[in-house]
Amino acid sequence: MPSAPLINTEAERLRALHDYDLLDTLPEAAFDELVALAARICGTPIAAVSLVARDRQWFKARVGLDVAETPRSMSFCAHAIARPDEIMIVPDARLDARFADNPLVTGAPGIRFYAGVPLRMPSGHALGSFCIIDNQPRTLNADQQDALRVLARQVVGQIELRRALSLVQTDERNYRRLFEASPTPIIVYDIDTLALLAANPAAEAAYGYTLAEFLRLTKRDLRPAEDLAALLELNAVAPAVYHSPRSFRHRRKDGSIFPVAIHSHTVTYAGQRARLVLAVDMTEAERATAALRASEERFQLVTQATRDGIWDLDLVLGLTWWSDALYALIGLERSSAPPGHNRWREHIHPDDRNQVVQNFDAAVASATGNWSAEYRFRTADGSYINLLDRGRILRDATGRAVRVIGAASDITQHKQLEAQYLRAQRMESIGTLAGGIAHDLNNVLTPILMSISLLKGGLHHDSESVEILNGIEASTKRGASLVRQVLSIARGFDGERCLINFRHLLLELERIARETFSHAIKVTVDCPRDLWTVPGDTTQLHQVLMNLALNARDAMPAGGTLALSAANLRIDAQYASTSREVRPGNYVLIQVKDTGQGIPPEILDRIFEPFFTTKSVGQGTGL
């Protein structure tokens, strides 16, 4: 477990931490309320104000944690303060080499997700981190990150206020210097008259008044008229010492209204009972919160209104989004973390992957706002489905793509129906063509057969000529038989149907194969004696089995095994529901297996097409 590297100014940072006198102090409501608000906004079970000391991190405020401190060697926040200007986000600590074996990850509290904003003070030193923690992998959207930064600035303001109050009580000169230098607006007013007694330069900049103008105002002048009653009521019942942060509306010199979070404390100023107020501008925080709420409401409405799988991809962190429908589509449990973008690519079918990835990357790199693709995707059980995926690419102010929001639809059934429709169209075209040719051939063969019969009648004593005519007649009849097959395909003729026992057909096929096939091919038959009978055309079924056996033979030029088998099969309604062409009932299952070279995947969809064959001309018809 690598410890966080020490920063170059670590000694100065530790002195600053000591000067703020925060370590091992009692809980304070201001900090406790801020961590509770952060956990609620970001939806995490744990939030804390963590101060990183020499050998430990100590929690000034915490929610969801049972311990007050941990060794610095285990501290996530010790890593965060190394970059005081950046928010540190760890989506899944188990996948981060810095934290994978951290006892806080492998044991209680089981940290998976961490996000921390360094508590950078005006001096530039980061005393610790304002952090949120979850025991589930996740990330933060842009609105939540903005809200966390705003709350962290309030923590810094509260620390400054705390120090300011301490300095006021001990050293007026130091108080004035801090008062003047504070980046947070500070105002002091008389509790009894509400007259303003002091204001720092930050307050002048925020409200638009000069110090002289401030000193001619009362606290009433900084509030909208409709809020005055609430101001007077609150002032009458305000606590004697510290007043925890509350949200109010203040008015600038130009009349504009803006939201503020007020931290206040009772002080004695120039011999008068007064309150010192820190006013943190909450405009940015409220805008971020409203945007977050609106974004979440829109996302929920979309995901509830569609059966498509909705996803949201952060291109900066490479993390995804998933809606419940997308989990169901892929076959994952809702508690599972969605795969990152790289793992998503790995699930794309290898034959589709390069094209899909290239198109996606090209869309992100170009100025286009949309992307779409159709591809095969491997689900949780290892099977593939066809997805129609499309996304909207979002860019920041510089034009850089930072996020993609999209939807994936399962079009597997649509693709299957489309393939069936195209196959049916192809078969119809082939059948129409074959029917026409077969009809013409039949017209040609009929007079030939009639002529052969007439010729044979006049050649009783010429045996040699009769033998020749017999050969011509046999060939012509085989041609006529082929024509009938083509017509059967083209017109859907049923042929002569009767009850068939496949056991007899398979045993006859075994005999023919043993007598005519190479001795290097072993033929086996597995057929029960109680095999059910099946209605059908004996000649057609015999030819089907024979053609399958011949194909098997041709696929095993060096020898192998031809296995013929039959079995009784009952198909129930549940199984039948998996195919549009199957109905519940009793069936006979026939299998012809060989150990040959197999069929290339790219032609599997065409093996039942009439006249399609991979054999050379004269070696096969494809029927």
Side-chain angles (χ1 to χ4, degrees):
M1 177 182 68
S3 298
L6 294 178
I7 60 177
N8 295 332
T9 58
E10 178 63 6
E12 292 83 352
R13 191 193 69 82
L14 290 173
R15 279 197 295 272
L17 176 61
H18 179 268
D19 290 341
Y20 277 96
D21 194 25
L22 285 167
L23 291 174
D24 302 315
T25 57
L26 294 175
E28 298 178 45
F31 297 99
D32 293 339
E33 291 172 358
L34 289 173
V35 296
L37 180 59
R40 185 162 62 252
I41 290 177
C42 298
T44 59
I46 299 173
V49 173
S50 171
L51 303 174
V52 180
R54 186 185 307 277
D55 300 314
R56 59 177 176 145
Q57 68 172 352
W58 180 78
F59 303 117
K60 172 60 180 173
R62 65 188 190 274
V63 61
L65 283 174
D66 295 328
V67 296
E69 67 179 38
T70 68
R72 178 169 177 166
S73 59
M74 300 180 185
S75 171
F76 282 55
C77 298
H79 289 266
I81 64 173
R83 295 179 179 270
D85 296 322
E86 301 176 12
I87 180 173
M88 187 178 93
I89 298 178
V90 181
D92 191 342
R94 297 171 300 181
L95 305 180
D96 194 314
R98 297 172 296 176
F99 310 113
D101 59 347
N102 190 309
L104 300 179
V105 175
T106 58
I111 296 177
R112 296 294 178 266
F113 165 80
Y114 169 92
V117 179
L119 298 175
R120 184 174 184 178
M121 309 310 292
S123 64
H125 297 300
L127 304 187
S129 172
F130 183 71
C131 63
I132 56 173
I133 295 171
D134 203 339
N135 51 23
Q136 297 291 333
R138 56 170 296 175
T139 187
L140 296 180
N141 60 37
D143 296 326
Q144 290 171 321
Q145 293 181 38
D146 288 343
L148 197 61
R149 291 187 182 98
V150 170
L151 293 176
R153 289 198 292 271
Q154 289 198 48
V155 172
V156 170
Q158 183 59 34
I159 294 175
E160 288 291 324
L161 173 62
R162 189 179 184 280
R163 188 183 190 191
L165 293 174
S166 175
L167 292 175
V168 165
Q169 296 172 357
T170 58
D171 190 334
E172 178 64 25
R173 188 171 51 198
N174 287 339
Y175 153 73
R176 175 55 58 180
R177 183 164 52 235
L178 180 61
F179 180 83
E180 297 290 339
S182 174
T184 303
I186 302 178
I187 297 172
V188 180
Y189 69 92
D190 187 295
I191 292 180
D192 298 320
T193 66
L194 301 184
L196 301 189
L197 305 176
N200 69 348
E204 295 180 60
Y207 288 82
Y209 293 104
T210 65
L211 177 59
E213 290 172 325
F214 262 124
L215 298 181
R216 291 195 293 268
L217 303 177
T218 70
K219 187 70 183 300
R220 297 183 183 88
D221 298 311
L222 300 183
R223 300 289 290 272
E226 58 269 27
D227 293 353
L228 289 180
L231 166 65
L232 297 176
E233 179 182 354
L234 179 65
N235 197 67
V237 298
V241 184
Y242 174 72
H243 185 199
S244 60
R246 292 191 182 182
S247 296
F248 299 98
R249 298 191 305 162
H250 274 193
R251 184 175 59 193
R252 298 184 180 93
K253 181 179 179 180
D254 62 8
S256 61
I257 306 299
F258 66 106
V260 291
I262 294 298
H263 306 257
S264 66
H265 203 285
T266 300
V267 296
T268 299
Y269 184 85
Q272 298 172 268
R273 195 166 65 99
R275 290 195 74 82
L276 183 146
V277 171
L278 269 76
V280 180
D281 188 341
M282 294 296 293
T283 304
E284 182 181 349
E286 289 197 359
R287 185 182 298 117
T289 301
L292 173 61
R293 185 181 301 110
S295 174
E296 289 178 344
E297 290 175 354
R298 287 195 300 269
F299 184 78
Q300 290 298 324
L301 287 174
V302 170
T303 56
Q304 291 170 9
T306 179
R307 296 176 60 186
D308 292 346
I310 307 298
W311 51 269
D312 187 342
L313 169 63
D314 186 323
L315 292 173
V316 179
L317 299 176
L319 299 176
T320 48
W321 19 311
W322 282 11
S323 67
D324 290 343
L326 187 54
Y327 274 96
L329 199 66
I330 305 305
L332 291 176
E333 294 294 330
R334 187 66 180 87
S335 58
S336 303
H341 191 46
N342 290 333
R343 281 191 59 202
W344 177 269
R345 294 181 177 192
E346 292 172 1
H347 279 252
I348 299 175
H349 193 284
D351 294 344
D352 303 339
R353 185 178 302 143
N354 288 340
Q355 185 66 40
V356 173
V357 171
Q358 289 174 9
N359 288 347
F360 182 86
D361 292 343
V364 170
S366 69
T368 182
N370 297 308
W371 167 81
S372 65
E374 288 186 18
Y375 55 90
R376 289 164 290 177
F377 187 82
R378 189 176 74 251
T379 62
D381 63 5
S383 63
Y384 281 93
I385 60 174
N386 292 91
L387 286 184
L388 171 59
D389 207 351
R390 57 271 191 212
R392 176 73 176 174
I393 301 171
L394 306 180
R395 304 179 184 277
D396 61 15
T398 67
R400 183 184 64 155
V402 295
R403 187 177 178 188
V404 185
I405 300 175
S409 305
D410 185 354
I411 59 171
T412 304
Q413 186 175 16
H414 171 78
K415 298 293 286 186
Q416 291 171 345
L417 292 174
E418 183 182 66
Q420 290 175 5
Y421 176 71
L422 293 175
R423 187 180 298 113
Q425 281 190 319
R426 192 162 59 242
M427 291 287 286
E428 181 179 358
S429 299
I430 292 173
T432 301
L433 175 63
I437 295 174
H439 184 269
D440 292 341
L441 283 174
N442 197 48
N443 291 339
V444 172
L445 293 175
T446 299
I448 294 176
L449 287 172
M450 294 174 61
S451 299
I452 290 173
S453 298
L454 292 174
L455 289 173
K456 286 171 65 176
L459 295 173
H460 294 297
H461 303 293
D462 188 348
S463 59
E464 184 176 351
S465 296
V466 171
E467 185 176 350
I468 292 173
L469 289 174
N470 286 337
I472 295 173
E473 183 178 35
S475 296
T476 304
K477 287 182 177 179
R478 282 196 295 272
S481 176
L482 181 60
V483 168
R484 285 194 297 272
Q485 292 180 49
V486 173
L487 285 172
S488 176
I489 293 172
R491 301 177 181 175
F493 288 168
D494 289 336
E496 299 179 0
R497 298 173 65 83
C498 62
L499 289 179
I500 301 170
N501 189 323
F502 267 101
R503 178 178 174 80
H504 301 315
L505 289 179
L506 293 179
L507 292 176
E508 181 180 355
L509 184 60
E510 178 191 27
R511 178 185 60 79
I512 295 173
R514 291 185 186 277
E515 293 176 355
T516 60
F517 288 5
S518 166
H519 292 298
I521 296 178
K522 179 183 178 182
V523 183
T524 65
V525 175
D526 181 12
C527 185
R529 294 186 177 275
D530 61 349
L531 193 68
W532 295 328
T533 56
V534 176
D537 184 287
T538 303
T539 302
Q540 290 181 346
L541 291 173
H542 185 275
Q543 185 173 359
V544 168
L545 293 174
M546 178 58 73
N547 285 341
L548 289 174
L550 291 175
N551 285 337
R553 177 201 65 186
D554 295 341
M556 299 184 292
T561 300
L562 171 62
L564 310 172
S565 65
N568 296 327
L569 177 66
R570 297 185 188 275
I571 293 183
D572 57 21
Q574 180 178 0
Y575 182 86
S577 66
T578 63
S579 173
R580 299 175 68 248
E581 300 178 356
V582 177
R583 298 291 180 269
N586 296 331
Y587 291 81
V588 171
L589 173 66
I590 306 297
Q591 293 182 317
V592 180
K593 298 182 180 180
D594 65 71
T595 58
Q597 58 195 17
I599 301 174
E602 59 269 18
I603 66 170
L604 275 176
D605 289 342
R606 304 191 63 190
I607 61 175
F608 292 113
E609 288 184 17
F611 306 109
F612 174 76
T613 180
T614 58
K615 296 178 180 178
S616 303
V617 177
Q619 295 184 359
T621 64
L623 295 178

